[in-house]
Amino acid sequence: MSKNDIPHNELKADGRTIRLRYMAPGDAEGVLAFAKSLPAHDLLFLNRDIRNPKVIDAWLEQIGQGLIRSLVAVEGDTVVGCNAMVRDELSWSPHVADIRILVSEDCRGLGLGRLLALHTLHRARVDGVRKLTVRMTPDQGGALKLFEEMGFRPEALLRDHVRDADGETHDLAVMALDVDRHLAKQRAYGL
């Protein structure tokens, strides 16, 4: 398998077919529409507000430079989910990458978030990432459960770390996965 292959790039559930593909410049409008369809609370864990076209443009530019790896999940021509693996190879932590996953409300419970997370883990292995982190608000129970099931463990709780549009502050939970240890455990159990 080459570095650019996407294993298991299709999800069929509840009579729906959702396909995964690499995000490309032509996806800007679709990703923006998707971001605007999400509840604002779902976006609080992101460093930037992806409902802003300039943020989408910067994201696509960083994908082009190889700084971010992203997939979009599309149903027909509609973006219903996306992921990103963000890594700064010039930082003191070039071995660490942050996962970001978003799924439309009507696609939750289908396994799309898990599929996007597994793809990010696969990409991390291919790229030599040693540690993955993920952030979310503590009330995102489905996301917390998903990442715990994947082997992520809590590392920090950042109190009052983000502020929503109404000025209300929210905590952020940070979870992490040692990619090498996770891979060794999978090999030991024949997975």
Side-chain angles (χ1 to χ4, degrees), residues 54-185:
K54 290 180 182 180
V55 173
I56 300 289
D57 291 343
W59 182 1
L60 289 165
E61 184 178 315
Q62 290 180 320
I63 289 170
Q65 295 170 356
L67 302 172
I68 296 177
R69 308 280 191 200
S70 286
L71 297 176
V72 289
V74 293
E75 185 173 29
D77 293 330
T78 304
V79 175
V80 295
C82 62
N83 75 354
M85 185 178 77
V86 181
R87 180 179 179 194
D88 184 353
E89 293 187 21
L90 298 177
S91 75
W92 292 109
S93 304
H95 62 293
V96 178
D98 188 43
I99 295 177
R100 299 169 188 165
I101 295 175
L102 292 163
V103 174
S104 69
E105 288 185 292
D106 71 324
C107 289
R108 294 176 189 170
L110 299 177
L112 181 56
R114 182 176 303 277
L115 184 60
L116 288 165
L118 290 170
H119 277 282
T120 307
L121 181 55
H122 167 76
R123 189 72 227 186
R125 289 179 184 147
V126 170
D127 287 356
V129 171
R130 309 279 305 273
K131 180 178 182 178
L132 285 171
T133 62
V134 63
R135 303 179 326 164
M136 66 205 73
T137 57
D139 60 351
Q140 293 177 305
L144 285 166
K145 182 179 177 192
L146 166 68
F147 286 106
E148 283 177 351
E149 288 173 356
M150 290 182 65
F152 283 74
R153 296 294 170 246
E155 283 210 345
L157 179 65
L158 307 174
R159 298 206 182 277
D160 299 325
H161 196 72
V162 294
R163 188 171 43 214
D164 63 25
D166 296 326
E168 198 171 320
T169 59
H170 301 270
D171 298 344
L172 273 185
V174 180
M175 300 178 79
L177 177 75
D178 180 312
V179 176
D180 292 339
R181 188 176 302 141
H182 181 74
L183 185 56
K185 187 186 290 184

